[in-house]
Amino acid sequence: MRAMKHLRACTLCEATCGVVITTENGRITDLRGDPDDPFSKGYLCPKAMGLKDVHEDPDRLKTPRVREGSTWKEVSWDEAFARTAEALGRVQREHGRDAVGMYLGNPSVHNLGSILYAPLFMRALRTKNRFSATSVDQLPHMLAAYLMFGHQLLFPIPDLDRTDHFLIFGANPAVSNGSLMTAPGMPRRLKELRARGKVIVVDPRHTETAQLATEHHFIRPGTDALALLAMLNVLFEENLTRPGRLAQHTDGLDAVRDAAKAFPPERVAAATGIAADALRTLARDFAAAKAPVAYGRMGISTQEFGALCAWLINCVNLVMGRLDEPGGAMFTAPAVDLVANPALVGPGHFGRWRSRVRGLPEFGSELPAAVLAEEISTDGPGQIRALITNAGNPVLSTPNGAALERALPKLDFMVSVDFYLNETTRHAHVLLPPTFALEREHYDIAFNLLAVRNVAKWSPAVFERSPEQRHDWEIFATLTRLVGDPTSLGRSLRFKAEATAMKALGPRRVLDVLLRTGPRKISVKKLEAAAHGLDLGALEPCFPARLVHKSKRIAAAPAPMLEDLKRLEAKLAAERPDGLVLIGRRDLRTNNSWMHNSERLVKGERRCTLLMHPADAGERKLTDGQKVRLSSASGSVDVELELTEDIMRGVVSMPHGWGHGRDGVQLKVAAAHAGASINDVTDAAVVDALSGNAGFCGLSVSVAASG
Ligand SMILES: Nc1nc2c(c(=O)[nH]1)N[C@H]1C(S)=C(S)[C@@H](COP(=O)(O)OP(=O)(O)OC[C@H]3O[C@@H](n4cnc5c(=O)[nH]c(N)nc54)[C@H](O)[C@@H]3O)O[C@H]1N2
Ligand SMILES: Nc1nc2c(c(=O)[nH]1)N[C@H]1C(S)=C(S)[C@@H](COP(=O)(O)OP(=O)(O)OC[C@H]3O[C@@H](n4cnc5c(=O)[nH]c(N)nc54)[C@H](O)[C@@H]3O)O[C@H]1N2
Ligand code: SF4
Ligand SMILES: [Mo]
């Protein structure tokens, strides 16, 4: 057979790079970056080879399994679906709707079928116990967007290619390839930016991004809200603010000024670890730049003041007239516009109900993942008795995953939609393995919304699914039809009819309707004709029209944010513990918990190590390469120590997603490079009290020689 070339987007991370995949006789013989993709221009990171490796992985499952004790038995799809529908229906009829919980993991957002069809199933279940990776990730950004602009998905995206002063708090795009900032080819874009202006990184670690930057400041983990307030303080006190065009469409600027009054640099310098002069300079340089933008990601969102940080970064951009301006923090206008289409995702709501055990607030109908374990293990009405996980691994990815691991066996029933038997799915009673990326069509509904340019690309399937396989969307459509709403006959019939109709359409035709009725009136056909992808132009100013608040006004100082400043004040007044604090890190060759079964990605240098400053090690008489025990109030793990001056004194760093040495995990390569899970040490009790987001960064820990 002749070699065939297939063009598509990589779906492994947010960057959406264009790939050219060559196949011959049903095998991938070549995989490279697509130089003609107008957005990625040929860039690929090493993880892209994971597309081939996962596709060909002998551990990847293609047919359903049911578990009896510790043995898995292959069954037909019909049987697996019937068992699942029966168990979910029974649990909801006997214990109420909320007795079924659901967790959606990160890859579900990189999956067109899942985005379009999983919501159908969730609506049918109508449970208040919905969870996702959102609350171990970007929830604070969503809360800030909802409160300030009126929609949870109205994310300000740094206009990376036009800014000349990129101020980064707690993100490492040189490794992550960008988050809430889809921009394939980060090395090139950062290099071009360096040639144009400045990149300033504020991070407790001298990261790979910091190494490319013009300036780096160490900051004590968890204190960014103080640093940002100090910046705002300087901007206001020195009359440097210039909100510009949007001032007349904004409420609350005075309240922001008043809030910042209490935080002069001198007051927060010791707590943040950044000298007062340096904080002043950060503010003045920002004000002096032509096209500055402030941006923050995981390091500022997964900490105890995540929501305040996300809000304050928006405030810095807003008061300097950098919101909705070229080179500033802008908003996309994608061809499928989730913000303008309430049928797909609503604007959001916050605190309409609270979690049963701890009383943390819902956001957009989801509860924080930090409460999942306790909602399963705490007896009483409303307790979760059955769980669905889809494209996730919360045992490794949520705080105190070890407690979740202990809770899962208590469930009456668990079903997982995943093609791997991983640390979480091994607890399921039924495993429904969907197709992998290359076996399905794709369009990035989610990441086009987060991109630094307006783009659109259709990815045809490289391989047809085999008759025994099912797509995620087929699984959700079938489950919706079988489950209906077990507690209401009328609703049940409606959902069954809707699921049948949606299944008949399939994602391609649903997408086609969304594209045709969307703001750009294009179609799948038109995208197919532009096989390398369509560039729809640079981001354009769109406020106040695009604001979703009915008033069409920006709320600069939402009440919940102002209120939360009291908690920050209390933290500032409290004595600082003088021990070590823990942060995470990402690695260019791995992706959260699930790319570790690829030999070429995990081999070589040690990856799952604990970074520590040599002076901190010296004080503890610890040496490089030694096994140490890392402990917190909630747990401990043994991990290899790696000494480096690239980390701030008093801070240690460990990557997440490792810990594959558990019984029953069917990932041969990963098991041989098991590592330990940082989330056996992180603490589900430590959250951003306002949003409920996990507070991974800045956890108090101790480190001692192990054994
Ligand atoms: N301590 C600490 N913890 C963290 C983080 C951190 O920085 N520090 N980061 C957090 C972040 S940002 C995230 S996003 C989460 C990620 O955490 P999760 O979303 O819970 O887990 P992943 O590791 O992404 O696991 C994804 C699973 O989805 C499966 N999968 C892949 N593709 C598909 C598909 O197409 N369909 C289906 N059904 N399944 C598929 C894979 O086999 C794998 O088992 O981790 C979080 N946890
Ligand atoms: N190679 C690779 N790429 C990925 C992923 C992956 O696992 N591997 N995961 C993907 C996912 S799901 C996501 S969400 C994105 C995340 O994308 P990013 O947010 O860009 O990536 P992180 O490495 O989590 O960056 C967080 C940074 O915050 C710093 N930090 C920790 N605590 C603090 C603090 O208190 N204050 C400040 N200022 N900084 C702090 C850390 O040192 C780290 O450098 O990456 C995506 N891309
Ligand atoms: S940066 Fe790497 S993993 Fe992310 S989309 Fe591009 S090739 Fe794929
Ligand atoms: Mo994430």
Side-chain angles (χ1 to χ4, degrees), residues 195-484:
R196 266 195 323 271
K198 288 187 179 173
V199 179
I200 299 126
V201 174
V202 182
D203 196 302
R205 186 164 76 84
H206 189 245
T207 59
E208 296 76 359
T209 306
Q211 288 167 32
L212 301 173
T214 29
E215 195 177 314
H216 168 252
H217 299 268
F218 282 128
I219 185 167
R220 293 282 303 160
T223 65
D224 300 78
L226 296 170
L228 286 157
L229 280 159
M231 272 188 75
L232 284 165
N233 176 288
V234 174
L235 295 172
F236 279 115
E237 295 301 311
E238 300 187 3
N239 283 321
L240 298 170
T241 58
R242 40 162 200 259
R245 172 177 64 88
L246 290 181
Q248 55 171 324
H249 303 289
T250 302
D251 295 318
L253 282 172
D254 289 345
V256 176
R257 170 196 296 262
D258 290 347
K261 262 210 176 84
F263 297 91
E266 291 69 21
R267 187 168 173 236
V268 306
T272 58
I274 306 179
D277 279 353
L279 287 166
R280 282 187 189 282
T281 306
L282 275 178
R284 289 175 187 153
D285 286 355
F286 194 88
K290 228 165 68 206
V293 65
Y295 162 76
R297 259 314 268 131
M298 281 294 284
I300 61 99
S301 68
T302 54
Q303 55 152 286
E304 271 185 278
F305 298 98
L308 283 183
C309 288
W311 165 55
L312 291 166
I313 286 175
N314 290 348
C315 284
V316 168
N317 288 324
L318 176 63
V319 304
M320 296 313 296
R322 300 309 300 150
L323 202 63
D324 198 35
E325 282 294 330
M330 303 194 77
F331 300 85
T332 54
V336 173
D337 188 3
L338 294 174
V339 171
N341 195 333
L344 286 173
V345 187
H349 42 76
F350 176 49
R352 286 204 187 151
W353 59 87
R354 292 191 165 256
S355 70
R356 177 181 64 107
V357 179
R358 208 192 309 177
L360 289 187
E362 66 78 34
F363 179 78
S365 298
E366 278 186 22
L367 290 170
V371 309
L372 176 56
E374 70 201 28
E375 292 297 330
I376 297 170
S377 58
T378 312
D379 293 340
Q383 179 182 6
I384 297 178
R385 292 164 189 274
L387 181 69
I388 303 137
T389 70
N390 172 40
N393 194 358
V395 164
L396 294 193
S397 59
T398 63
N400 200 352
L404 179 63
E405 189 164 39
R406 290 191 295 275
L408 292 178
K410 282 193 69 170
L411 292 165
D412 291 348
F413 180 74
M414 174 169 162
V415 56
S416 293
V417 184
D418 203 306
F419 44 71
Y420 278 140
L421 259 174
N422 67 22
E423 297 70 20
T424 300
T425 60
R426 75 198 165 110
H427 293 282
H429 299 97
V430 177
L431 189 77
L432 304 172
T435 50
F436 178 57
L438 303 185
E439 292 151 338
R440 57 181 188 238
E441 305 167 325
H442 182 66
Y443 176 86
D444 271 302
I445 290 195
F447 299 103
N448 290 344
L449 186 75
L450 308 177
V452 302
R453 291 185 69 83
N454 288 309
V455 288
K457 179 167 182 158
W458 172 252
S459 296
V462 176
F463 300 102
E464 212 178 312
R465 75 154 164 75
S466 60
E468 82 265 17
Q469 286 181 288
R470 294 292 177 274
H471 295 301
D472 288 87
W473 65 271
E474 293 177 296
I475 293 172
F476 286 116
T478 305
L479 284 179
T480 310
R481 207 150 37 89
L482 293 175
V483 174

Side-chain angles (χ1 to χ4, degrees), residues 10 12-13 15-17 43-45 47-48 177:
C10 174
L12 294 176
C13 89
T16 72
C17 301
Y43 177 77
L44 278 194
C45 85
K47 279 204 306 291
N177 277 294

